[in-house]
Amino acid sequence: MKSLSFSNPPAPGLIKRWGRITLLFFLSAAILFGLARFYSGKLGRTTGGASWLWSDHRIAEDTPESFFLVRDFDFPPNSTFLHLRVVADPGYTLWFNGAEIGGSHSEGRTIETYDVTVQARPEGNRVVIGVRSARGVGGVLASVDLAPMKRNWLVTDESWRLYDRWIPGLLQSGFEAPGASTPRVLGRPPFGRWNYPEPKSGEPFGERRSVIPAREVIRFDASLPRLEKKSGIMVAGSVPASAAAFDFGHVLGRAALRVSPGPTRVVSVRYAGHPDDLNLEALPEAFVVGESEREVVSPERRAFRYLIVYDEDAEAVVFKDEPDGSP
C-alpha cells in the first residue's frame, strides 16, 4: 500500500503569511465589535431612543425660524430624582414648570443635564424648549431621567407638541392652545452633521433675577458687513444701518431685547467693552425674535459694557441671575 504524499507541499512562508492574515482579520473584527459596543453603549447612556426634532420649516428659504417644543408628564412615585437633558443646534432655552431653567449655544456638541427634582410635582409637569435659528436650520434633542436605572425614560419623538409662535401661558402646566403641530423627526444620533453629543453639567439660571436698564443710549449711523454673490463670486461689502449703543456700565449678565410683537425676524447686535469699539465694522450676532414674542433673553452670560442694537424698534436690558440664597 502506497503512502499518501503531497507532490507540492505549501511553502512555510505561505503558511506564516496566511496565519498573519487570519490573525489580523480576527483582531480587526474584535476591535470593530468593541468600538460598536462602546458607541452603542455611549448612545444608550447619553440619548437612548431620543431623536433630533425640527419644525416643517422650508430649509431652502434660508429664513429665520423660531418654535417651542412642549411635553407634559407626571413624576412617578418612588422616583429618585428628575433630570432634564437637552442639546440643540444652534442653541436653546429651557423652561420647567414655568421657570426658566437654563440654556446654551453649543451647536449640537454638548448635551447639558439639569437637576429639577425640587421643582418637580407629582402630576402635571411641563417641559418647554425654545429653539431659534437665524438661517432656519438646526435640531433639538432631549430626554428625561428618573433614576440611574431609568435613563431616557422620556425622549424627544413625535409625541411632543410644537408651537411656531409665542403664546402667553404656554409655560404653564395644563395650558392648551390651538395651533400645535407634530414636530419633524430628523433621526437619532449620530445623524447628519451631529455626532454623539458629549455629556455636560448644565449651568442653571438663578431663581432670583434683577433687570438692569441702560444708563445711556447712544444713537448713531453705522454700517453692517454683508456678503453678496456677484457673477458666482462672494464679494464682501457693507450696508448703512441705524444703531443704538445701550450703555450698562461694566456688567456681567444676559442681554435681553424687548420689541413690539410681529413676525419672526433677526435683530443684529454686537457687544463692546470700550467707547472706541462702537464704530467698528465687525460681524454682528443674531437675536432671533419669534412670532408674537415681546422679549428674548440670551442664554449666555457675558461681561460687557455696550450692547449695540441695529434695530430701531428694539430696547435692550440686562438680566442678572443670582443663585438662590445669595445676598
Side-chain angles (χ1 to χ4, degrees):
M1 182 176 180
K2 294 182 179 180
S3 61
L4 297 175
S5 62
F6 294 97
S7 58
N8 295 307
L14 183 61
I15 295 176
K16 290 182 179 180
R17 190 179 307 127
W18 278 106
R20 293 194 188 102
I21 293 173
T22 304
L23 179 61
L24 287 174
F25 172 80
F26 282 108
L27 285 175
S28 300
I31 292 171
L32 290 174
F33 180 73
L35 288 173
R37 288 193 61 185
F38 171 78
Y39 281 109
S40 63
K42 182 178 181 180
L43 173 62
R45 292 190 301 270
T46 305
T47 59
S51 295
W52 288 97
L53 303 181
W54 200 247
S55 68
D56 284 328
H57 175 79
R58 290 177 59 86
I59 295 175
E61 292 180 355
D62 195 22
T63 56
E65 174 68 346
S66 174
F67 61 86
F68 304 88
L69 288 172
V70 178
R71 188 66 159 82
D72 296 321
F73 63 92
D74 297 333
F75 189 24
N78 303 321
S79 296
T80 307
F81 57 67
L82 184 63
H83 289 175
L84 302 178
R85 291 192 286 175
V86 186
V87 57
D89 180 9
Y92 69 91
T93 301
L94 172 67
W95 293 272
F96 182 65
N97 286 343
E100 190 179 15
I101 300 298
S104 175
H105 280 297
S106 69
E107 296 183 347
R109 292 188 296 269
T110 58
I111 182 166
E112 285 83 19
T113 300
Y114 301 91
D115 188 343
V116 293
T117 309
V118 175
Q119 296 94 328
R121 300 188 285 254
E123 297 179 349
N125 296 283
R126 170 164 290 194
V127 176
V128 178
I129 305 173
V131 187
R132 299 176 175 87
S133 172
R135 302 195 64 180
V137 296
V140 56
L141 180 148
S143 67
V144 178
D145 294 348
L146 294 181
M149 300 305 293
K150 291 185 179 180
R151 293 184 175 180
N152 306 301
W153 171 71
L154 184 152
V155 297
T156 42
D157 54 24
E158 63 278 358
S159 66
W160 290 60
R161 302 191 304 281
L162 185 147
Y163 291 89
D164 59 4
R165 62 188 178 91
W166 175 255
I167 302 173
L170 188 63
L171 304 181
Q172 304 306 316
S173 176
F175 176 81
E176 296 294 339
S181 62
T182 301
R184 180 195 302 178
V185 177
L186 301 179
R188 296 181 182 179
F191 175 82
R193 65 177 180 273
W194 304 298
N195 200 346
Y196 300 96
E198 292 294 330
K200 177 184 176 183
S201 178
E203 185 178 354
F205 298 149
E207 294 185 5
R208 292 168 42 175
R209 174 182 298 169
S210 57
V211 179
I212 302 174
R215 299 178 178 181
E216 182 184 8
V217 181
I218 305 169
R219 301 190 181 276
F220 60 99
D221 294 328
S223 60
L224 283 170
R226 183 176 67 176
L227 289 175
E228 292 183 282
K229 182 178 288 188
K230 295 183 178 180
S231 301
I233 301 174
M234 298 303 296
V235 179
S238 62
V239 293
S242 298
F246 293 82
D247 184 0
F248 296 99
H250 291 286
V251 66
L252 173 63
R254 297 190 294 130
L257 295 182
R258 292 174 174 173
V259 300
S260 299
T264 301
R265 70 183 193 272
V266 174
V267 178
S268 296
V269 304
R270 186 164 60 84
Y271 295 87
H274 193 273
D276 294 341
D277 299 332
L278 297 185
N279 289 307
L280 292 178
E281 192 175 297
L283 286 174
E285 299 183 23
F287 263 73
V288 179
V289 182
E291 183 178 349
S292 302
E293 284 191 291
R294 294 178 178 271
E295 182 177 84
V296 176
V297 186
S298 171
E300 293 187 331
R301 294 185 183 93
R302 295 204 186 191
F304 62 96
R305 177 175 176 179
Y306 298 97
L307 184 68
I308 306 168
V309 182
Y310 301 90
D311 189 317
E312 296 180 354
D313 176 53
E315 175 190 358
V317 296
V318 172
F319 283 9
K320 186 175 181 181
D321 301 312
E322 301 173 348
D324 188 31
S326 62

